[in-house]
Amino acid sequence: MTDAKIRLLLVDDQMIIRQGLKSLLEAKPDLEVAGEAENGEQAIAQVETLQPDVVLMDVRMPVMDGVAATQLICRQFSKTKVLVLTTFDNDDYVSQAMRLGARGYLLKDTDSDDLAEAIRAVHKGYTQMGPGLLEKAISPPPPSIPLQPTCLPPALAGLTVREREVICLIVAGASNREIAETLYIAERTVKNHITSILSQLSLRDRTQAAIFASAFLPLLQP
């Protein structure tokens, strides 16, 4: 018996884009396009009806944009994952989409095989970011928005000094090897610290940890 296919909803206001994506993705044996929508409002209705596993969401669309639709879908349909797929890498779009619940953000020039892998990863609960987009996702809010926290949430406050050092380096984009070299510890020890951090913060992977911790970075740093 074969595994069930990952059911997709394609959301884009351009039919030719949807048709192209459908052709590329349905060539993969484990992917199935369950439906299409041309704006965020239609996307929400389709999610309610079709209950897809993953939504490929464009950003700029008429009636309701992809960011607003992402927020509502993530709030109302927890089993459906949203993967933003767009031509726009604007800092605000990236950070808003990720903070409102999207599990990934890719650009439309992503290779079809890489896109398929990202869909599989998002379906499993991992976060996927296109090259250079993680920095945009964790960028601080504009100066006009006074969102600087004054204290750490309990989960972050409970981290050890070493775990705080590790998560600060994760936010900075350091690899496990770079973290090990910076802190003069073994790479295996770094992995153990990251496992502990993710468990305490109830997060799935280091990308989510970086996005979450970035807002509290000044309070985490020694």
Side-chain angles (χ1 to χ4, degrees):
M1 182 177 178
T2 58
D3 294 335
K5 291 187 176 183
I6 300 173
R7 301 174 68 251
L8 308 173
L9 175 66
L10 308 182
V11 186
D12 196 294
D13 60 334
Q14 297 185 49
M15 181 182 293
I16 191 170
I17 297 294
R18 299 198 307 271
Q19 290 175 337
L21 283 172
K22 183 175 182 179
S23 176
L24 289 171
L25 295 174
E26 289 200 326
K28 311 296 182 183
D30 59 333
L31 303 181
E32 173 188 355
V33 176
E36 302 177 23
E38 61 183 27
N39 59 59
E41 189 174 274
Q42 288 184 8
I44 294 168
Q46 290 281 59
V47 169
E48 184 173 11
T49 301
L50 300 174
Q51 298 184 6
D53 298 305
V54 178
V55 177
L56 295 186
M57 181 76 73
D58 193 14
V59 172
R60 288 190 185 177
M61 295 179 291
V63 184
M64 178 186 288
D65 67 29
V67 174
T70 293
Q71 181 180 25
L72 292 172
I73 290 171
C74 294
R75 180 186 300 168
Q76 298 176 24
F77 308 98
S78 59
K79 293 183 179 180
T80 297
K81 314 293 196 307
V82 176
L83 173 59
V84 176
L85 182 65
T86 184
T87 57
F88 303 101
D89 62 353
N90 177 280
D91 292 24
D92 290 340
Y93 284 146
V94 179
S95 59
Q96 284 184 48
M98 297 305 295
R99 286 174 179 142
L100 292 176
R103 295 295 179 85
Y105 200 110
L106 300 177
L107 299 182
K108 287 180 180 176
D109 59 2
T110 301
D111 178 82
S112 61
D113 288 337
D114 291 339
L115 175 58
E117 283 300 319
I119 290 170
R120 296 178 188 115
V122 165
H123 180 239
K124 292 177 181 177
Y126 296 104
T127 303
Q128 294 292 295
M129 300 296 294
L133 296 180
L134 175 59
E135 292 80 4
K136 296 176 182 290
I138 64 177
S139 60
S144 59
I145 303 177
L147 294 177
Q148 292 298 324
T150 57
C151 63
L152 289 172
L156 283 175
L159 298 181
T160 66
V161 174
R162 178 65 84 191
E163 287 169 344
R164 290 190 185 193
E165 291 174 337
V166 169
I167 200 169
C168 286
L169 288 168
I170 290 174
V171 173
S175 66
N176 286 0
R177 177 176 295 180
E178 290 168 336
I179 294 173
E181 292 174 351
T182 301
L183 300 179
Y184 300 100
I185 58 178
E187 193 168 344
R188 179 181 297 178
T189 303
V190 173
K191 292 179 181 178
N192 291 338
H193 283 312
I194 293 175
T195 298
S196 175
I197 290 167
L198 295 179
S199 175
Q200 292 180 73
L201 301 183
S202 299
L203 298 174
R204 291 177 178 81
D205 53 49
R206 60 188 293 143
T207 303
Q208 288 190 339
I211 293 170
F212 176 62
S214 63
F216 304 95
L217 192 56
L219 298 176
L220 285 168
Q221 292 172 331

